[in-house]
Amino acid sequence: KAFLQQRLSSPTKHLVIGNSAGDADSIISAVVLAYVDSVKGVGKKTPVISISEHEMNTTRPEVSLLLDLVGISDPSSLLLFVDSPAIKRDTSASGIDVTLVDHNALDERFGPKRGKKGWRVKQILDHHRDEGNYQDTCSNSDRNIAFQ
């Protein structure tokens, strides 16, 4: 919980984001990868829940249950959601590095199509067919994609 509290109050410049569906494997993977990489010294990373808090509460009860089982009964007190003020503010900031988990194409809410040119995909961990994006910022060992 201390890790999540720290990231909530002071997000890093490297975000870990799951797919836009916000399913359980995507959300849990983003949280766990950010934590493991931060603890191992790979880099300080902040998990971002790829759906709004309202969406999670109304359409993803399985995620709420999983979080509750590990002691996170009030996700909004520990997690940054895609609609969090800090994330909305940082979507226009430059110098934001991103790790994608459970997908390999940055949602247009965060990509250059919306003028957020400062966001760079630096790492991908996925099990879907590689769409071939971000070769200039994410290549070789930083692209862990099951179907190349």
Side-chain angles (χ1 to χ4, degrees), residues 24-42:
D25 62 324
S26 181
I27 290 174
I28 301 303
S29 295
V31 172
V32 171
L33 181 65
Y35 174 75
V36 169
D37 280 1
S38 295
V39 169
K40 286 182 134 186
V42 174

Side-chain angles (χ1 to χ4, degrees), residues 1-12 14-16 27-49 72 77-80:
K1 287 185 181 180
F3 167 78
L4 293 174
Q5 288 170 332
Q6 181 183 30
R7 292 301 186 261
L8 181 65
S9 64
S10 183
T12 63
H14 192 135
L15 307 178
V16 181
I27 290 174
I28 301 303
S29 295
V31 172
V32 171
L33 181 65
Y35 174 75
V36 169
D37 280 1
S38 295
V39 169
K40 286 182 134 186
V42 174
K44 293 183 177 182
K45 298 179 181 178
T46 300
V48 176
I49 308 308
I72 301 173
S77 69
L78 292 172
L79 299 172
L80 280 168

Side-chain angles (χ1 to χ4, degrees), residues 9-134:
S9 64
S10 183
T12 63
K13 293 289 187 180
H14 192 135
L15 307 178
V16 181
I17 302 173
N19 67 41
S20 60
D23 47 4
D25 62 324
S26 181
I27 290 174
I28 301 303
S29 295
V31 172
V32 171
L33 181 65
Y35 174 75
V36 169
D37 280 1
S38 295
V39 169
K40 286 182 134 186
V42 174
K44 293 183 177 182
K45 298 179 181 178
T46 300
V48 176
I49 308 308
S50 59
I51 57 176
S52 70
E53 181 181 0
H54 174 74
E55 260 184 286
M56 192 176 88
N57 291 335
T58 58
T59 65
R60 294 294 182 194
E62 74 282 6
V63 176
S64 297
L65 174 63
L66 289 170
L67 292 171
D68 192 45
L69 289 171
V70 295
I72 301 173
S73 56
D74 180 15
S76 65
S77 69
L78 292 172
L79 299 172
L80 280 168
F81 290 85
V82 71
D83 60 343
S84 301
I87 298 305
K88 285 182 177 182
R89 179 181 64 247
D90 284 349
T91 55
S92 60
S94 61
I96 302 292
D97 291 335
V98 179
T99 295
L100 303 178
V101 293
D102 197 27
H103 63 128
N104 61 76
L106 191 59
D107 187 290
E108 67 179 39
R109 292 175 290 177
F110 306 111
K113 292 178 185 174
R114 296 276 190 241
K116 291 115 179 139
K117 297 178 181 158
W119 285 42
R120 295 177 306 262
V121 174
K122 301 295 278 185
Q123 183 181 27
I124 300 172
L125 285 90
D126 190 24
H127 61 96
H128 301 96
R129 185 160 310 282
D130 189 355
E131 294 183 30
N133 299 314
Y134 321 111

